Amino acid sequence: MNIHEFYMKRTLEIAKEGWGRTNPNPLVGAVIAKNGKIISEGFHEALGCAHAEVCAFSNAPTDISGATLYVNLEPCSHYGRTPPCVKAIIDSGIKEVVVAMVDPNPKVSGKGIQMLKDANINVIVGVLEEEAKKLNEIFIHYITKRLPFVIMKTAMTLDGKIASVTGDSKWISGEYSREYVHAIRNRVSSIMVGVNTVINDNPSLTARPISGKGIDPVRIVVDSSGRIPIESRVIQSDSEAGLILATTEKIHKDKETQLLSRGVRIIKTAPKNGKVNLRELMEELYKLEIDSVLLEGGGTLNFSALEAGIVNKVMTFISPKIIGGSSAVTPVGGKGIEKMKDAIALSDIRVERFDRDVLIEGYVADK
């Protein structure tokens, strides 16, 4: 590992401190090094707050002129919620900027780097680029595809069941797996389930990370005909996160009025095969600046999401338990795929252990 990679690795680590607070902005860290040591650090703490570079400048205890600045994403060159960082970098006296990746945002892409070069600042691009892209996979998808990044999370037994023949599902996965899922909930903008999950399990859909109080994601319930019970926890919860009901014109007007009076946002899509059009729903969520969706649905919704081509990433926890039952439900139901040659294959597979559970994670090719 060379010196640039060493400092960039630290930059990527501190960028993660902004998880769940910057959406739909990217995760960005900044490190200032001078005379062989780090003299200041900063990260983008929350949406609307100062960007990482400006934070690092503010935190610097000494003169930073002549220093090298490390950032995992190209500095912005446009006015958004905050002023452009490039001007602050130029004014600071920084002599060199090391960038992990070019910003995929067309408003920035390459422009910030060129402005730095025009100011006679040495710029190095591409240090730990793949790691930087992985860190900001949500932002990259959101900004280039103009759709939320959807993660389908499932937990199943060794024989592929997500509940017993009686519908009991607590708990399939172990404590450490569940803690990790709550950490993911704390990172994404929203969590989505089907109405059957609400009726059967009555979840609160909140984030309860082990590190402390989390930020609850927006709750989304897919409910084509408005069957959600008014007394459901997702409606009655005192969580500050909003609730979106994705439905169709099949919802009864009285039910719609009840839900609206309780602060529920309702998104109606044109029905597709009698159900919510998930692709259209994703387009509406994008307009609300929801950059990511953690899909924790049942087998029917999961298959519909895969069939609609909205799933980008799959996370499957496998617990070493066997429960059997020909009628016990599986993670993906629906009508199914008829031919193995048409099966949805994952790429870039990662496997991780959580105590006795195994997590298999991979990506679905764009449709």
Side-chain angles (χ1 to χ4, degrees):
M1 180 182 295
N2 62 39
I3 192 65
H4 288 327
E5 290 176 342
F6 175 81
Y7 287 131
M8 187 60 74
K9 185 172 182 178
R10 175 59 187 165
T11 302
L12 291 165
E13 281 301 312
I14 61 175
K16 296 175 184 177
E17 296 295 322
W19 264 126
R21 279 76 177 164
T22 66
N23 311 62
N25 279 359
L27 295 165
V28 184
V31 167
I32 300 174
K34 188 175 182 179
N35 299 326
K37 65 178 182 179
I38 294 175
I39 60 173
S40 186
E41 298 178 341
F43 66 95
H44 184 33
E45 296 180 9
L47 186 67
C49 292
H51 285 188
E53 300 92 327
V54 175
C55 287
F57 296 157
S58 299
N59 295 336
T62 59
D63 179 26
I64 62 173
S65 59
T68 297
L69 170 68
Y70 293 84
V71 286
N72 57 289
L73 186 69
E74 176 183 5
C76 64
S77 56
H78 69 296
Y79 281 88
R81 289 182 171 90
T82 60
C85 294
V86 168
K87 184 178 185 305
I89 295 171
I90 293 171
D91 292 344
S92 72
I94 288 286
K95 72 170 184 179
E96 182 177 58
V97 178
V98 181
V99 180
M101 62 172 285
V102 175
D103 194 328
N105 187 343
K107 293 180 180 178
V108 180
S109 189
K111 299 181 180 69
I113 290 171
Q114 190 57 52
M115 288 174 66
L116 294 172
K117 290 180 177 179
D118 291 343
N120 295 318
I121 295 174
N122 186 48
V123 181
I124 300 172
V125 182
V127 176
L128 299 188
E129 182 177 11
E130 290 308 310
E131 290 89 335
K133 288 180 177 178
K134 173 71 174 177
L135 176 68
N136 272 312
E137 62 186 9
I138 288 174
F139 172 73
I140 294 170
H141 178 85
Y142 174 78
I143 207 73
T144 60
K145 304 296 184 181
R146 299 175 67 85
L147 291 169
F149 185 85
V150 179
I151 304 167
M152 188 179 86
K153 191 278 301 182
T154 63
M156 68 180 188
T157 60
L158 197 59
D159 54 338
K161 310 296 185 181
I162 62 172
S164 71
V165 291
T166 64
D168 182 38
S169 61
K170 293 185 178 179
W171 294 100
I172 287 177
S173 56
E175 179 183 355
Y176 293 103
S177 297
R178 298 197 300 273
E179 287 176 356
Y180 183 70
V181 171
H182 277 285
I184 298 297
R185 286 185 180 186
N186 191 40
R187 296 176 181 179
V188 296
S189 293
S190 68
I191 179 170
M192 185 167 79
V193 299
V195 68
N196 286 335
T197 296
V198 174
I199 293 172
N200 296 331
D201 299 339
N202 196 20
S204 57
L205 302 180
T206 55
R208 302 183 295 277
I210 194 171
S211 57
K213 188 179 186 303
I215 295 180
D216 294 339
V218 173
R219 284 81 53 81
I220 303 169
V221 178
V222 179
D223 181 5
S224 301
S225 56
R227 295 189 293 125
I228 187 171
I230 292 296
E231 64 275 12
S232 300
R233 286 180 183 169
V234 288
I235 295 176
Q236 301 297 335
S237 170
D238 59 359
S239 171
E240 295 180 3
L243 172 63
I244 294 174
L245 189 81
T247 188
T248 68
E249 291 294 341
K250 291 193 292 183
I251 187 173
H252 195 280
K253 292 297 181 184
D254 290 344
K255 187 64 167 291
E256 183 176 350
T257 300
Q258 281 184 297
L259 292 168
L260 290 172
S261 70
R262 286 164 171 77
V264 178
R265 179 191 287 268
I266 294 179
I267 296 177
K268 293 181 184 177
T269 74
K272 186 171 184 179
N273 300 321
K275 299 178 181 179
V276 171
N277 184 322
L278 295 178
R279 173 65 64 165
E280 185 180 334
L281 173 60
M282 292 303 111
E283 293 170 355
E284 293 301 315
L285 295 180
Y286 170 82
K287 295 175 185 177
L288 296 176
E289 295 192 329
I290 292 176
D291 66 357
S292 46
V293 177
L294 180 62
L295 173 59
E296 294 197 32
T300 300
L301 180 58
N302 286 344
F303 180 77
S304 295
L306 289 165
E307 187 178 38
I310 67 167
V311 177
N312 305 107
K313 186 176 185 177
V314 175
M315 297 173 57
T316 298
F317 292 89
I318 302 174
S319 177
K321 302 172 183 175
I322 298 173
I323 56 175
S326 58
S327 62
V329 291
T330 60
V332 180
K335 65 181 181 182
I337 294 172
E338 295 181 358
K339 302 287 186 180
M340 280 302 300
K341 66 180 179 63
D342 299 321
I344 296 169
L346 303 183
S347 61
D348 300 325
I349 303 300
R350 184 177 74 90
V351 179
E352 186 174 352
R353 285 280 300 273
F354 288 88
D355 193 20
R356 299 176 69 230
D357 298 340
V358 175
L359 168 64
I360 299 179
E361 182 180 279
Y363 295 84
V364 180
D366 289 337
K367 285 191 177 181

